[in-house]
Amino acid sequence: MPNVLIRDVPEPIRAQIRREHQRRLISQNSYLVSLLSDAVESQKGPSLFDRFEDAPVEQDVTVQSEKNYSVPFTFVDLFSGIGGMRLGLEAVGGTCLFSCEVDRYAQKTYLAWFGENPEGDVTALKGKSDIPPHDVLAAGFPCQPFSLAGVSKKNSLGREHGFKDRTQGTLFFHLATIIDLHRPPVILLENVKNLRSHNKGDTWKTISGTLDDLDYEIFSEVIDASAWVPQHRERVLIVGFDRRVFGDEPPFHFQELPAEPPPQLRDILEESPDPKYTLTDKLWQYLQDYAERHRKKGNGFGCSVADPSGITRTLSARYYKDGSEILIPQVKRKNPRRLTPREAGRLMGFPEHLVDRQVVSDTQAYKQFGNAVVPSVIESVAKPIVEVMHWQLLRRNGCLLKR
């Protein structure tokens, strides 16, 4: 095996290399060679400019999930937060053309990380020229209840109604309007797991029904990020394919979870965190008393001191308040401590070179990571999306998805 020399590499990347080869119980050299091999393999695959002479239009072409096809595509990043979906889509060959995020602190981080300032208010994107043409629309939209009053009234009068009646006044309404206006070939949406049960299931029925009305074939799956990061974090991922482009049965399947063991909490912890993250005696006592009161009532509310050899609870946007859902044990009878913002970023699976570029307060950083999506989860969903794109190119004899 050839020896790989590392020179002029930033210390955060060196640290990540050290952690990974130690976690995998292989030498640093073996780990670097495997990284380079994976990078070379990921670039293999048929060219978009091949004529595919033996694959005529409408030919039944089977998607082979073991292939790592590279199909260049464009996407827009709506409700972008700090760019978790962007990182996942870029990892499989996507190019971001447009982003939109209303929170000014998230905008600040996004600008520092990606060199562009997202547009602010998604409700202002009303014209076709407001968003450039794109192949994939990605959005981590907020969960909101829908009013069924107007729909019920139209039903009683025997009048037709559409998604604009069911979703009026919500952010999803604006998202659905954008989808209807731009007709992206693929949509990728992310939300909390409870979206399916929210408002007694009416929210999910409205969303899935709306996307079906818009003529998209919909696939959804609840995915736990603990397969990639040491955190229990379940989110629902929704993938939609425009039936006018892909037909009624696009060969999409969510990937199986990675076979290798997931990382442990200790893999992302700093060696010498700032003492300011240690809980005061007063706060630690309050959290213990609070947890005991709820234990006696028979519910699970309260603080959680995490096991370094395991995974944590879900990191939430409220973590900045007291850090109670994920506390880190310390030696020498010290009170437990909060995660540092760097550790919170690592817990979400963001690259080290971005996590180290903190341009907001700790409070805002915790909120941003608590609201974010794990990039590796998006990447795992984006890979089979790319395979379906490749399938579409083959069966259409090399024709582009959207002109």
Side-chain angles (χ1 to χ4, degrees):
M1 179 180 295
N3 288 323
V4 181
L5 299 178
I6 304 180
R7 289 187 296 189
D8 301 325
V9 175
E11 179 54 34
I13 297 178
R14 284 179 177 270
Q16 187 172 9
I17 291 173
R18 284 196 297 270
R19 283 197 304 273
E20 281 300 306
H21 84 76
Q22 290 170 0
R23 183 176 71 81
R24 301 185 187 195
L25 302 178
I26 58 177
S27 69
Q28 175 176 287
N29 194 72
S30 296
Y31 173 63
L32 290 172
V33 170
S34 71
L35 277 183
L36 293 172
S37 298
D38 290 345
V40 171
E41 287 298 319
S42 69
Q43 299 305 311
K44 294 181 179 179
S47 167
L48 287 176
F49 301 101
D50 289 347
R51 292 299 301 161
F52 302 119
E53 295 298 338
D54 18 307
V57 174
E58 300 297 344
Q59 177 171 333
D60 182 15
V61 181
T62 302
V63 171
Q64 300 181 44
S65 59
E66 69 273 10
K67 299 289 185 182
N68 288 319
Y69 294 123
S70 179
V71 177
F73 64 94
T74 61
F75 67 92
V76 296
D77 191 13
L78 307 184
F79 305 99
S80 59
I82 56 175
M85 296 189 82
R86 175 174 181 150
L87 288 170
L89 289 168
E90 287 181 339
V92 296
T95 299
C96 185
L97 300 181
F98 178 86
S99 57
C100 183
E101 169 57 47
V102 71
D103 183 88
R104 64 190 179 100
Y105 296 106
Q107 286 180 335
K108 190 173 182 180
T109 296
Y110 201 98
L111 176 61
W113 286 9
F114 302 106
E116 63 184 66
N117 196 33
E119 293 292 325
D121 187 358
V122 72
T123 65
L125 305 175
K126 297 179 180 179
K128 194 154 189 177
S129 62
D130 291 338
I131 300 175
H134 50 278
D135 299 312
V136 179
L137 181 147
F141 66 99
C143 180
Q144 294 177 292
F146 300 103
S147 172
L148 300 180
V151 174
S152 298
K153 182 176 181 180
K154 285 196 173 184
N155 281 338
S156 66
L157 296 175
R159 292 164 56 187
E160 291 294 322
H161 60 81
F163 80 88
K164 291 185 178 180
D165 298 294
R166 295 194 301 268
T167 65
Q168 187 73 43
T170 66
L171 290 172
F172 180 75
F173 162 77
H174 296 284
L175 178 59
T177 302
I178 290 170
I179 293 172
D180 190 36
L181 180 64
H182 292 271
R183 303 283 331 160
V186 183
I187 57 177
L188 172 58
L189 311 179
E190 179 270 347
N191 213 297
V192 295
K193 174 189 176 183
N194 291 341
L195 179 72
R196 287 178 163 178
S197 57
H198 184 256
N199 202 27
K200 298 182 179 179
D202 287 337
T203 298
W204 176 249
K205 290 178 183 177
T206 301
I207 289 172
S208 58
T210 295
L211 297 175
D212 181 66
D213 288 349
L214 291 175
D215 213 14
Y216 282 83
E217 191 67 24
I218 299 302
F219 303 82
S220 66
E221 182 97 338
V222 173
I223 299 178
D224 191 344
S226 63
W228 295 272
V229 295
Q231 175 191 179
H232 175 62
R233 191 180 190 86
E234 292 182 303
R235 292 293 184 267
V236 61
L237 277 298
I238 305 168
V239 178
F241 295 93
D242 187 351
R243 295 188 184 104
R244 303 172 197 179
V245 176
F246 295 92
D248 293 336
E249 297 181 347
F252 176 82
H253 300 280
F254 286 95
Q255 284 191 331
E256 295 184 2
L257 298 181
E260 59 268 19
Q264 297 178 343
L265 174 59
R266 61 163 51 95
D267 296 326
I268 62 100
L269 297 180
E270 294 186 47
E271 292 183 4
S272 302
D274 193 309
K276 71 179 183 180
Y277 297 106
T278 297
L279 300 188
T280 64
D281 291 340
K282 182 177 180 180
L283 178 56
W284 177 223
Q285 188 60 54
Y286 167 79
L287 291 177
Q288 292 178 92
D289 293 343
Y290 181 85
E292 180 61 19
R293 286 197 302 272
H294 282 282
R295 187 191 66 78
K296 289 179 179 178
K297 292 179 181 178
N299 59 47
F301 295 109
C303 59
S304 173
V305 179
D307 178 1
S309 63
I311 66 174
T312 71
R313 289 181 179 180
T314 301
L315 179 68
S316 73
R318 68 165 300 282
Y319 188 77
Y320 71 94
K321 292 184 177 181
D322 53 31
S324 60
E325 64 259 40
I326 305 173
L327 295 175
I328 308 302
Q330 300 194 90
V331 296
K332 298 180 180 178
R333 302 185 68 179
K334 286 184 180 179
N335 293 344
R337 65 174 178 87
R338 294 180 177 90
L339 292 165
T340 68
R342 178 183 285 114
E343 290 169 338
R346 292 173 178 173
L347 190 66
M348 291 299 299
F350 282 91
E352 195 78 2
H353 71 281
L354 296 182
V355 171
D356 280 342
R357 205 178 303 169
Q358 183 179 335
V359 293
V360 295
S361 67
D362 284 4
T363 293
Q364 292 300 328
Y366 288 135
K367 286 183 179 180
Q368 290 172 8
F369 290 128
N371 280 324
V373 59
V374 174
S376 294
V377 172
I378 300 303
E379 182 181 352
S380 76
V381 176
K383 285 178 180 177
I385 289 176
V386 170
E387 290 170 1
V388 175
M389 289 180 179
H390 181 265
W391 166 82
Q392 169 67 9
L393 289 167
L394 281 172
R395 79 185 191 118
R396 291 292 184 182
N397 203 21
C399 177
L400 294 175
L401 289 174
K402 187 176 182 180
R403 294 180 178 177

